[in-house]
Amino acid sequence: MPDLLRPHWFQILLSLSSGTMHGSAIMDEVLERTEGRMKLWPATLYGSLRDLEEAGWIQDSVPPPDAPVEGGKRRFYVLTPSGERVLREELRHMHAILEEARERDLLGDAGAV
Amino acid sequence: MKRRRSVPLVGLLLRLYPARFRDRYASEIEESLGGLLRAAGERGRWRWMLVWLRGIADLLKGAVRERLRSGRGKKPAMESSTMGVGEMMGTLVRDIRLAFRKLRKEPLFLLVAAGSLAIGIGANTAVFSAANELLVRPLPGIPNYERVVELGRTDRGSGFDTFSYPDFLDIREEIPSLAAAAAFTIEIMSVSREAEGVRAAGFHVSPAYFEILGATPALGRFFLPEEDIGVGQHFVAVVSHAFWTERLGRDPDVIGSTLYLNRLAYTVVGVTGEGFGGHMIGFQPDVLMPMAQLPVMNGGRNEFDARNASWHMALGLLSEDATLEGLNTELAALAQRLAAAYPGSNETRGFRAVPLGPIPGGGRSGVRLFVTVLIAMVVLILLVTCTNIAGMFLARAVSREREVAVRVALGAGRGAIVQQLTIETLMVFAVGGGAGIAIGLWGVGLLNPDVLPLPVPVRFAIEPDPRVIAFATLVTLVTGLLFGLLPAAGATAVDVVTSIRDEGRGGGRRAGRARRVFAGAQVGLSLVLLVTAGLFMRSLQRAASIDTGFDPTGAYVTYIDLSLEGYAEESGRAFQASLLESLASEAWVSAASLSIDLPLDLSSSGTAVTPQGWDEDDRLATDFNRVSDAYFETLGIPILRGRSFGPADGPDAPRAAIVSERFGAEAWPGEEALGRTFQLRHVDGQVTYEIVGIVKDTKNQLITESPKPFMYLSLRQTYAPGVQVVVRTNPGAGSASARLREALSAADPNMSVGGVASLETYTALGVLPQRLAAGITGALGLVALLLSGLGIYGVVSYAVGRQQREIGIRMALGADRRGVTMRFVRGGLLMALPGIVIGMVVSVAIGQVLQALLLDLSPRDPVAFGAVGVVLLSVVLLATWIPARRAARVDPAESLRQE
C-alpha cells in the first residue's frame, strides 16, 4: 500500500485540478477550501511547487487570458498528465480508506452517503 | 508597474537560500508575504507581528530545507518524497537533543551569549516602548487628533508658556485658521459628595474644550457657551467616565446631583465617553468645570482681564482647509499687532501652535531630548550585543572547524551540519530572547510613573511594543547567524584533509581578525556609554553643590488636606494653629511650618502684581507661595531684612508680603523694597500688600534657573486646607517619619496622613531626569564594560590557546616569561586602542548634544573622561593580562610534545 502524498502537495495538486493558477492564488484557494486549517506560508509553498515541478507533476503555463497583467513576473502552473494521474491515484487511495472506514462503521453519522 | 514594498528582513533571509532557488522564487515569495502582511496589518499590529514572525520562521525553515537538499546533491524528487514527516521530525528531535547536550557542556558560552542578548533586547524593548507611548502613539478617545493643536506663548521667539486670558480671547476671535480655541488650567482638588472626599484632577476649561477634542458625553451634556462667562453664576461640572465608575459607583442618577469641589457646590451635568482621557498622557481629568468659576475657587484672585498675567494653557482646532504653517503665520501677525497695541505686556511676546502630542508642548522638547538620549544608549547596547554575539559565535565556529571537518569526512552532509549549528544558535536565541523579553517587561515597569516620586496622581501604562521585541531579536539573530553560521558553512567547504591535520588554521586567521575588530569596537562603544553615564553623574554631583537658597537636610515633609477631613475654614484654621504649636513644642523638632508649595517640587504658582510707583497697567510677573510664620526658619531660608510673618498679620490686618531679593531688584531697581507696597488683583478688586521682609532667592522650579521674582503671602490671611507640613528636626532626633505621623494622629485621630519624605528626597525631583539618566546609562555602561572585558578576554585567551606551540618554541629558544606576557598584553592594548580613540571622539560629540541636560557641566568634563579612561584601561589590561600570564606559564617541553 503506497504512502499518502504529503498533505500540502496533495492540496496544491487539488487546487490546480480546477485550472491554471499562480502561487498566491493557490495559497488563497487552499486556505479557503480547508476553512483556514492549512495555510501555505510562502517559502513552504514555493518550495513545494519546485518539488512538484521536479517530480514532473506540474509545469509552467502561459497565464490564462483573464489573468490581470500587473504584478510582473508571476508564474502560472498547470497539472501535467502524470500529476493528474498521481492526484487521481491519491483520491482513489483515500476513497478506499474511507470505504474501509465506512464498512467498519468508524465514521458514525458523517459516514452516511 | 505595481509598487513593491519590501518586508523587513525578508530580503536578507532570502540570501540564505541557494542561488538557483532564489533566482526563481525570491520575488514571488516576497510579494505573497507582503500581501499576507498587508491583510494582517489592517487587523492590528499584534496580528501583523504574528504573521511576520510566522513568515520569518517559514523562511528560516525553508532555508534549512533547501540547503539540506543542495547538500545532499540533486536527488530525485520522488525519493525525497519518501522521507516522511515522521522521519524529518526524528532528525530534528535528534539535532535538538544534540544541541542541548553541547550547550550544557559550555555553560559560560550559553550564559554570556544569552545574557548579553537578554540585556540588549530587554533595554531596547523598554526604551522604545516608552518612546512610542510618550512621543508617537496618538492618545485614545480623540477623534479630531490630527487637527488639534496646542497653543503656547513665546518670549523673544523661544519657549512655550502659558497665556494671558485677553491674549487668548484675541486669538480665539481673530485667527481664521482656528475653528475653535479653548483655554484650560489644571489643579488637584478635593472632591466630595457627602462626607468623605478624594483628591482628584480638576480641569477648568472653556466649553470648546470638548468640541476641539471631538468628545461626546456618555450621559447628559457638556458645557454651554453661556457657561463660559459670568463669574459666580454657573456652577456646573462634568465628571469623567472613570471617575463616575470608580468613585460614584456608576450612579444612574448622577446628572443633576451635587458634587463639592474644594467645598463649592457644583451640579453635575454630564459624564464623558468611556474612552475619553483628556489630551495629556498620564494626566486624565477626573472633574471638569467651566473656567469662569476659577476666581471663586481661587479665593478671589481674578485675572481674566490682566494681559500681563500668564496663567492658563490653550488648545485649538484647525479649520477644515487650514494648515499649521498658515496658522503660525496668522499667530505671528497677531502677536505683532498686540505688541504695538500693548507694549507694556506684549512687547516681546509671540504665539506658537504645535500639533497635539501625548506630552504637552512646553515639556515636549525636553522629553524628546531625554528619550532620544535613551534611544541612542540602547541602540549602542544593541550594537555591543551584536558585536559580542558575533564575536562569540565566530570563535565557536572556528574552534569547531575540526569537528565539522571530521563529520564531513565521515559522510555528514553540509546541510545537516548547517542545520545542527542553526539549531544550536536558535536555542541560544530562544533562551536569550525569552530572558530579554522578561527584562524588557520589567524595565517597562520601572518606567511607569507610579514608581516615580511625583507629587500629582499620574496614570499611564507603558506597554511593551511587540514590534520592538521582534526587531531586536531579529537583528541579533541575523548577526548571530551571519557571523556564526557563514564561517561554519565555509568550514564545510574546506579541504577535509588539511583541516583535520592543520586544525583549520587558515580559516582561523580571517575570523581572528574579525574578532579583534569586534572587540575593539566593543571597547569604543562601552567608552561612549560610560562617558555619558559619567557626565550625568558629574552633573548630579554639581547639582548637589549648587546653592539652592534653602537647606533641605534634616527636614521632613508630608501633606494634609483638611477639606477632605470635614474641617470648615474656621475649624481648619484652629487645627492648623494648634498643630504648629504642638509640633514646635516637641523636643525633637527645631521648627515646623505649613505651606502650599515647596521649592524644587515641580509645582508652582504664578501671578502678576503692580509694584508701587509703576503704571497701573504694568505688571511684574512673579511666582508665589503661601506660608505659615516659621516657614523661613524651617526651610533654612535666610531673612535678609525685615521680619517673618507673625500674629500681627491676622485676617483683618493689612495684607503683608515677604519678597525675594530678585523681586525687589526688578520692581524697584537700585532701591530698597522693604516697606514698599504692590497691588494684587483679587476677585473683588485690587488689594494692596506691604512688604515686611526680604529673603534670599531660592531655586524654585529648576536647579539651574537664574533667580526669578518670588513672593510669599501669609497663610494667616488666606486660608488653605491642603498644605505641606514641614518639620526641621534637631540633630540626633532619630526616626522623624514615624514621629511626625504620630504627632499628626495625636492632633486628630481620624486624620489620614500620606507618606512622609525627607525634604532632600522631595526636592530632588528637580534633578529627576539627570538621576534617571545617570542610573540607566550607568547600569548599561557597566554591562557594556563587562561585555567588552569578556570580549577582549576571549580573543586574547583564544590567541594564547592557538599559539601554545609557537610560545613553546620561543621559550625553548630562550624567550623569557615576561617577554611572552608582554607580547600578548601589547596585542590586547593595540586591539582596544582604536576603539578608545574613536569612542573619545564620539563621546565629545554626544556630550554637545546632551548639554541641555548637563546642568552647566562642560560636555568635555575632564573628570568624567579621565575616570572612564582609567576604568576602561584597567579592565582592558586585566582582560589581557590574565590569559597572557597563562601563556607565560606554558611548559615548552609539554607544548611541543602535544602535537
Side-chain angles (χ1 to χ4, degrees):
Chain A
M1 208 171 187
D3 279 333
L4 284 172
L5 272 176
R6 288 199 201 170
H8 40 270
W9 288 9
F10 171 72
Q11 296 292 353
I12 292 170
L13 293 177
L14 198 58
S15 289
L16 290 175
S17 68
S18 56
T20 308
M21 274 183 172
H22 61 77
S24 296
I26 296 175
M27 185 193 306
D28 294 340
E29 206 269 343
V30 171
L31 188 69
E32 201 173 316
R33 183 155 41 71
T34 59
E35 289 168 352
R37 279 192 302 273
M38 179 174 289
K39 184 154 190 173
L40 292 167
W41 292 90
T44 307
L45 172 70
Y46 288 98
S48 304
L49 287 174
R50 195 267 330 272
D51 289 342
L52 292 171
E53 257 189 295
E54 281 187 6
W57 297 341
I58 64 173
Q59 65 184 33
D60 277 9
S61 154
V62 289
D66 56 336
V69 278
E70 47 92 54
K73 275 179 39 173
R74 256 182 194 168
R75 204 173 266 114
F76 285 77
Y77 301 92
V78 66
L79 283 186
T80 61
S82 98
E84 276 175 42
R85 202 175 58 239
V86 169
L87 180 63
R88 206 172 317 114
E89 263 170 31
E90 182 75 1
L91 288 169
R92 263 194 213 121
H93 178 47
M94 286 182 169
H95 185 72
I97 295 174
L98 270 178
E99 282 296 308
E100 179 77 21
R102 199 169 287 135
E103 269 166 36
R104 296 197 204 165
D105 204 20
L106 293 175
L107 294 178
D109 287 344
V113 184
Chain B
M1 229 6 237
K2 197 168 141 191
R3 199 166 57 98
R4 276 248 317 275
R5 290 214 349 241
S6 70
V7 182
L9 280 160
V10 166
L12 206 57
L13 285 176
L14 281 168
R15 295 186 159 265
L16 295 173
Y17 282 74
R20 272 171 49 96
F21 186 88
R22 196 166 60 229
D23 290 346
R24 199 166 150 83
Y25 298 106
S27 70
E28 281 190 76
I29 288 183
E30 206 167 345
E31 203 176 302
S32 54
L33 194 54
L36 289 176
L37 284 169
R38 264 192 302 282
E42 283 159 17
R43 295 171 56 189
R45 57 176 177 165
W46 278 102
R47 191 79 213 166
W48 186 95
M49 156 160 156
L50 207 67
V51 168
W52 182 75
L53 276 179
R54 290 286 298 273
I56 294 298
D58 175 58
L59 277 169
L60 280 172
K61 209 166 71 186
V64 173
R65 189 187 59 227
E66 294 305 321
R67 283 284 170 192
L68 269 169
R69 275 175 58 98
S70 60
R72 255 192 248 120
K74 263 194 66 99
K75 301 228 168 121
M78 283 306 282
E79 190 188 321
S80 83
S81 79
T82 59
M83 178 167 169
V85 176
E87 193 181 333
M88 284 209 19
M89 284 308 291
T91 327
L92 201 64
V93 169
R94 204 185 57 218
D95 279 350
I96 290 175
R97 211 175 286 145
L98 189 65
F100 188 68
R101 271 213 309 273
K102 271 213 121 48
L103 288 174
R104 227 176 32 185
K105 271 190 267 172
E106 309 168 80
L108 191 67
F109 170 76
L110 182 64
L111 189 76
V112 177
S116 57
L117 259 176
I119 289 158
I121 293 171
N124 274 274
T125 305
V127 166
F128 274 94
S129 304
N132 182 35
E133 192 76 17
L134 294 179
L135 296 178
V136 183
R137 204 159 71 88
L139 290 162
I142 305 181
N144 293 339
Y145 200 83
E146 301 299 321
R147 286 171 54 215
V148 182
V149 294
E150 279 179 68
L151 301 168
R153 175 176 56 88
T154 58
D155 189 50
R156 294 182 175 85
S158 67
F160 198 85
D161 253 311
T162 48
F163 277 95
S164 75
Y165 200 71
D167 282 354
F168 164 75
L169 289 181
D170 289 337
I171 287 173
R172 190 173 73 180
E173 302 309 323
E174 293 182 28
I175 298 292
S177 285
L178 284 177
F184 66 96
T185 68
I186 294 169
E187 73 177 302
I188 304 297
M189 48 182 31
S190 78
V191 181
S192 60
R193 262 196 129 165
E194 276 125 34
E196 88 287 19
V198 292
R199 293 188 87 189
F203 279 43
H204 302 268
V205 301
S206 312
Y209 181 76
F210 299 101
E211 175 201 339
I212 288 172
L213 299 180
T216 46
L219 289 176
R221 61 169 175 90
F222 292 145
F223 302 134
L224 307 171
E226 59 262 35
E227 287 164 350
D228 196 20
I229 42 178
V231 175
Q233 286 176 27
H234 308 282
F235 288 93
V236 288
V238 167
V239 297
S240 75
H241 195 277
F243 191 84
W244 178 59
T245 307
E246 288 160 23
R247 298 295 186 181
L248 305 178
R250 295 186 86 100
D251 177 3
D253 299 324
V254 67
I255 303 298
S257 69
T258 301
L259 215 52
Y260 293 91
L261 308 178
N262 282 1
R263 294 173 297 127
L264 289 170
Y266 276 73
T267 306
V268 176
V269 295
V271 175
T272 64
E274 193 168 355
F276 180 77
H279 69 283
M280 290 156 75
I281 188 166
F283 202 77
Q284 290 92 347
D286 294 314
V287 189
L288 302 104
M289 301 137 280
M291 290 232 344
Q293 307 321 323
L294 196 57
V296 183
M297 205 165 259
N298 271 355
R301 218 153 23 84
N302 183 340
E303 293 171 326
F304 281 124
D305 300 332
R307 203 176 275 277
N308 211 327
S310 297
W311 52 277
H312 68 81
M313 297 163 273
L315 291 179
L317 183 67
L318 277 179
S319 321
E320 279 298 345
D321 302 318
T323 62
L324 191 64
E325 293 74 41
L327 171 59
N328 273 317
T329 313
E330 292 170 12
L331 285 173
L334 175 66
Q336 269 185 359
R337 287 204 299 279
L338 292 179
Y342 311 100
S345 56
N346 286 48
E347 194 170 357
T348 59
R349 255 181 217 182
F351 308 114
R352 193 150 59 97
V354 298
L356 183 64
I359 300 283
R364 208 176 293 163
S365 63
V367 172
R368 189 175 292 150
L369 175 61
F370 184 60
V371 169
T372 311
V373 170
L374 288 187
I375 287 179
M377 294 294 128
V378 293
V379 167
L380 283 183
I381 281 289
L382 195 62
L383 276 176
V384 175
T385 306
C386 285
T387 47
N388 205 47
I389 287 280
M392 290 182 69
F393 276 105
L394 197 57
R396 197 158 169 273
V398 170
S399 69
R400 289 176 63 179
E401 233 167 55
R402 193 176 178 197
E403 175 203 333
V404 169
V406 170
R407 286 181 62 186
V408 170
L410 293 176
R414 272 182 70 174
I417 289 168
V418 171
Q419 171 167 346
Q420 174 65 40
L421 290 173
T422 312
I423 286 172
E424 286 176 28
T425 311
L426 287 177
M427 279 178 71
V428 171
F429 274 83
V431 175
I437 291 168
I439 290 180
L441 292 174
W442 174 73
V444 164
L446 284 189
L447 294 172
N448 275 328
D450 48 330
V451 299
L452 303 178
L454 298 174
V456 288
V458 171
R459 288 175 302 225
F460 62 88
I462 295 176
E463 278 165 22
D465 189 333
R467 280 172 305 184
V468 175
I469 300 176
F471 180 75
T473 313
L474 238 109
V475 170
T476 39
L477 180 60
V478 169
T479 20
L481 282 176
L482 277 178
F483 292 101
L485 285 185
L486 293 188
T492 59
V494 157
D495 175 19
V496 173
V497 181
T498 1
S499 274
I500 296 175
R501 204 180 48 206
D502 286 0
E503 301 181 15
R505 214 165 276 172
R509 279 278 146 73
R510 226 172 343 121
R513 212 166 26 240
R515 280 195 79 192
R516 295 167 68 85
V517 172
F518 287 151
Q522 277 179 47
V523 172
L525 290 167
S526 5
L527 183 115
V528 172
L529 282 168
L530 287 170
V531 167
T532 313
L535 287 174
F536 279 122
M537 284 176 201
R538 285 277 295 156
S539 46
L540 279 178
Q541 206 181 10
R542 165 159 297 218
S545 67
I546 291 177
D547 180 14
T548 55
F550 67 99
D551 176 18
T553 46
Y556 291 82
V557 57
T558 189
Y559 182 86
I560 56 170
D561 190 346
L562 297 180
S563 68
L564 311 182
E565 312 285 344
Y567 285 85
E569 176 166 347
E570 203 62 27
S571 54
R573 277 179 186 278
F575 177 84
Q576 288 180 347
S578 74
L579 175 68
L580 283 177
E581 204 171 309
S582 72
L583 278 175
S585 67
E586 298 261 355
W588 56 278
V589 174
S590 85
S593 71
L594 307 177
S595 60
I596 302 285
D597 276 328
L598 289 170
L600 293 179
D601 71 343
L602 296 188
S603 75
S604 79
S605 322
T607 185
V609 299
T610 309
Q612 180 186 351
W614 284 35
D615 267 2
E616 201 180 316
D617 289 336
D618 275 359
R619 305 275 170 85
L620 173 70
T622 175
D623 284 346
F624 73 98
N625 193 359
R626 283 183 279 166
V627 302
S628 71
D629 300 349
Y631 178 78
F632 304 101
E633 187 189 347
T634 315
L635 271 90
I637 300 171
I639 298 177
L640 302 171
R641 293 185 294 283
R643 60 170 175 91
S644 179
F645 297 121
D649 306 310
D652 303 321
R655 301 274 170 160
I658 293 170
V659 298
S660 69
E661 274 185 288
R662 184 76 202 166
F663 184 108
E666 289 200 10
W668 303 284
E671 297 172 38
E672 176 57 62
L674 190 65
R676 294 197 180 234
T677 62
F678 61 80
Q679 306 273 321
L680 177 64
R681 184 187 272 271
H682 284 214
V683 67
D684 40 8
Q686 299 280 8
V687 175
T688 304
Y689 282 80
E690 188 191 337
I691 294 170
V692 299
I694 313 282
V695 295
K696 204 176 153 187
D697 291 315
T698 60
K699 303 287 181 189
N700 194 42
Q701 278 172 293
L702 292 173
I703 194 119
T704 47
E705 73 191 9
S706 43
K708 284 193 219 157
F710 200 90
M711 67 176 184
Y712 303 87
L713 308 180
S714 175
L715 276 173
R716 286 179 181 271
Q717 294 182 324
T718 359
Y719 169 71
V723 286
Q724 310 276 1
V725 182
V726 186
V727 292
R728 172 165 296 278
T729 58
N730 283 319
S735 166
S737 310
R739 285 180 154 178
L740 180 54
R741 221 174 272 132
E742 264 169 41
L744 284 164
S745 304
D748 178 349
N750 295 324
M751 172 82 58
S752 66
V753 182
V756 176
S758 75
L759 193 59
E760 280 171 291
T761 314
Y762 205 76
T763 52
L765 284 170
V767 288
L768 189 65
Q770 285 76 20
R771 275 220 319 236
L772 276 177
I776 295 172
T777 53
L780 295 180
L782 285 180
V783 168
L785 183 67
L786 183 71
L787 290 180
S788 51
L790 280 172
I792 290 187
Y793 173 85
V795 175
V796 175
S797 67
Y798 179 73
V800 170
R802 285 225 144 188
Q803 295 174 31
Q804 290 252 326
R805 193 160 166 234
E806 192 184 328
I807 298 167
I809 293 172
R810 276 168 186 268
M811 288 180 74
L813 292 176
D816 69 341
R817 285 172 195 279
R818 227 181 124 244
V820 170
T821 312
M822 285 316 290
R823 207 169 77 89
F824 283 102
V825 170
R826 207 162 36 236
L829 286 180
L830 279 177
M831 183 161 61
L833 203 63
I836 292 182
V837 171
I838 295 171
M840 285 281 176
V841 174
V842 173
S843 299
V844 169
I846 288 183
Q848 300 290 349
V849 177
L850 293 181
Q851 189 136 37
L853 288 173
L854 292 183
L855 309 177
D856 299 339
L857 187 79
S858 157
R860 283 188 294 272
D861 180 60
V863 178
F865 275 82
V868 167
V870 170
V871 169
L872 203 62
L873 268 179
S874 322
V875 169
V876 169
L877 272 177
L878 194 70
T880 52
W881 184 68
I882 294 172
R885 211 179 42 148
R886 208 172 54 225
R889 278 204 304 256
V890 163
D891 178 356
E894 184 65 29
S895 72
L896 290 177
R897 217 178 299 130
Q898 253 176 14
E899 215 23 42

